[in-house]
């Protein structure tokens, strides 16, 4: 396999990892408004991701950096054409990080409520916009012969991309609800399972429409297999949730995300950004990639560093694996 194809697969892997991990903590952020009944329960939900949310975002930084180094033309076109949505996502992620750190710094109710509201919106908006962005990447955008985006921001909010946004929003919320059931005890655990069922059913309908649409427009045999795995995993996650097997349900909701994103990358390859104006103006793994020398150096660095990072992050999840409940929340000391 040529190195530019290898790096397409590696970048796909990074995005899959990011959506798997950041997906459930976006979902937890959304559930602080939908599931938690009081401030103590909000603290429980936030504490389930407190030790890991910042590590999850490292996958986004790595995916962006790898795209810049391996496919600079793709990076330039993507970040110039999608400038406004990506800027909104970036601002949300910054505010979200500040909200997690600053929420408990002062005891005033108004102060804490403000940051809790920020956590909700800065989880919901990126969860939606990531689906919009990837919907446009797969569908294609208006690229000219110089590989420059010549559309406007409203072109990005087409029906296919908006449906993609709704799918990621509901799927991440479902993923978060299953994670909440896995990581909590008591009444909030049972309500998380009920929430997961309701959101999961909505997700199943939206995802089926989106995946079938994608398969009809751009799919092949491999993407069809990925679509079947996605649907089967989501249904199995719902069944496991109803059987109160939270571990299996979370694993299967993760498989749903992995298979769905895999399908999108399968339908995209060998393009990295199709042009809707002329197929010859599409960015591909060949015309968007860096030199073989650059890719070779990147490959060796990745072989050395990536396993260490993944082992460390896995160890973090192991250390903070226990369930928590309202009885574990101490009164704040200021």
């Amino acid at each position: 396999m040529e190195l530019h194809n290898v790096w397409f697969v590696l970048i796909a892997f990074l995005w899959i990892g990011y959506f798997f991990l950041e997906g459930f903590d976006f979902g937890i952020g959304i559930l602080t408004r939908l599931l938690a009944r009081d401030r103590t329960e909000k603290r429980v939900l936030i504490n389930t991701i407190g030790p890991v949310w910042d590590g999850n975002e490292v996958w986004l930084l790595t995916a962006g950096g790898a795209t810049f180094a391996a496919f600079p033309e793709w990076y330039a076109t993507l970040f110039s054409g999608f400038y406004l949505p990506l800027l909104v996502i970036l601002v949300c992620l910054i505010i979200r990080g500040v909200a997690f750190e600053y929420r408990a710094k002062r005891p005033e109710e108004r102060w804490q409520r403000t940051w809790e509201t920020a956590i909700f919106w800065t989880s919901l908006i990126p969860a939606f916009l990531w689906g919009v962005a990837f919907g446009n990447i797969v569908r294609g955008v208006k690229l000219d012969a110089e590989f420059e985006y010549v559309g406007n921001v409203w072109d990005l909010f087409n029906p296919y991309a908006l449906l993609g946004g709704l799918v990621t929003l509901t799927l991440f919320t479902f993923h978060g609800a299953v994670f909440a059931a896995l990581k909590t005890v008591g009444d909030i655990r049972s309500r998380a399972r009920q929430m997961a069922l309701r959101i999961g059913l909505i997700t199943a309908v939206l995802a089926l429409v989106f995946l079938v649409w994608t398969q009809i427009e751009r799919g092949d045999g491999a993407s069809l297999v990925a679509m079947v795995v996605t649907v089967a995993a989501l249904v199995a996650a719902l069944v496991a949730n109803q059987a109160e097997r939270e571990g299996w349900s979370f694993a299967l909701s993760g498989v749903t995300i992995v298979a769905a994103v895999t399908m999108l990358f399968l339908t995209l390859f060998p393009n990295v950004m199709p042009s809707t104006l002329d197929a010859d103006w599409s960015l591909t793994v060949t015309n968007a990639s860096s030199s073989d020398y650059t890719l070779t150096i990147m490959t060796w660095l990745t072989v050395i560093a990536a396993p260490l990072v993944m082992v460390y992050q896995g160890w973090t999840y192991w250390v903070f694996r226990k369930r928590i409940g309202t009885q574990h929340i101490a009164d704040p000391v200021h």
Side-chain angles (χ1 to χ4, degrees):
M1 183 183 293
E2 297 183 16
L3 281 178
H4 52 71
N5 292 336
V6 170
W7 274 96
F8 179 86
V9 173
L10 289 175
I11 288 171
F13 172 76
L14 291 171
W15 281 110
I16 289 169
Y18 173 67
F19 287 137
F20 178 93
L21 297 171
E22 191 84 307
F24 70 74
D25 77 44
F26 279 150
I28 290 293
I30 295 168
L31 291 171
T32 58
R33 178 71 64 88
L34 303 181
L35 179 63
R37 290 177 173 173
D38 53 35
R39 179 148 294 114
T40 301
E41 289 192 351
K42 288 182 179 180
R43 290 177 64 190
V44 170
L45 290 176
I46 292 171
N47 285 355
T48 63
I49 59 172
V52 299
W53 68 267
D54 48 354
N56 295 345
E57 291 188 354
V58 171
W59 287 75
L60 173 61
L61 299 175
T62 308
T67 304
F68 172 76
F71 298 100
E73 196 75 52
W74 184 16
Y75 181 93
T77 301
L78 177 64
F79 279 81
S80 59
F82 292 25
Y83 178 80
L84 185 58
L86 293 179
L87 177 62
V88 171
I89 290 173
L90 178 60
V91 171
C92 284
L93 294 180
I94 293 171
I95 295 174
R96 187 167 179 266
V98 173
F100 281 132
E101 298 296 336
Y102 276 60
R103 176 189 170 275
K105 296 299 183 184
R106 291 173 58 178
E108 292 88 348
E109 181 177 346
R110 182 178 178 182
W111 170 272
Q112 295 189 1
R113 192 181 302 277
T114 298
W115 290 118
E116 289 164 0
T117 301
I119 290 172
F120 170 76
W121 285 109
T122 57
S123 299
L124 185 149
I125 294 171
F128 174 73
L129 288 180
W130 279 128
V132 172
F134 269 82
N136 279 290
I137 291 173
V138 172
R139 172 183 175 270
V141 292
K142 295 178 180 178
L143 300 183
D144 64 13
E146 302 298 322
F147 306 128
E148 294 183 1
Y149 179 66
V150 294
N152 58 56
V153 68
W154 300 114
D155 292 332
L156 301 176
F157 293 93
N158 54 78
Y160 178 81
L162 290 173
L163 178 58
L166 291 175
V167 170
T168 53
L169 175 60
T170 54
L171 180 55
F172 291 168
T173 307
F174 170 70
H175 196 40
V178 172
F179 183 76
L182 177 65
K183 289 288 293 180
T184 58
V185 295
D187 182 58
I188 193 170
R189 176 187 177 189
S190 61
R191 285 189 286 112
R193 286 199 303 268
Q194 296 168 10
M195 180 70 70
L197 175 62
R198 293 194 293 269
I199 296 173
L201 292 174
I202 297 171
T203 303
V205 174
L206 293 174
L208 183 61
V209 174
F210 179 75
L211 295 176
V212 170
W213 189 348
T214 304
Q215 180 65 25
I216 291 173
E217 291 288 331
R218 305 189 61 87
D220 57 15
S223 63
L224 179 61
V225 171
M227 185 185 78
V228 171
V229 172
T230 302
V231 174
L234 180 54
V235 172
L238 287 168
V239 172
N241 176 71
Q242 286 302 99
E244 300 184 10
R245 300 297 298 270
E246 290 97 345
W248 279 105
S249 185
F250 178 71
L252 289 164
S253 68
V255 171
T256 303
I257 293 175
V258 170
V261 181
T262 299
M263 179 186 176
L264 295 184
F265 276 95
L266 287 172
T267 59
L268 184 60
F269 185 82
N271 295 318
V272 293
M273 188 171 286
S275 172
T276 58
L277 299 179
D278 189 322
D280 292 335
W281 298 346
S282 297
L283 281 169
T284 68
V285 292
T286 303
N287 63 25
S289 70
S290 294
S291 67
D292 284 343
Y293 180 73
T294 299
L295 296 178
T296 300
I297 294 175
M298 291 174 59
T299 301
W300 281 109
L301 291 174
T302 301
V303 168
I304 296 170
L308 298 176
V309 174
M310 295 179 68
V311 167
Y312 174 76
Q313 189 168 21
W315 176 78
T316 302
Y317 276 91
W318 175 256
V319 170
F320 295 101
R321 67 189 181 278
K322 292 184 178 180
R323 296 176 182 267
I324 62 173
T326 54
Q327 68 271 28
H328 300 119
I329 303 298
D331 293 332
V333 178
H334 296 276

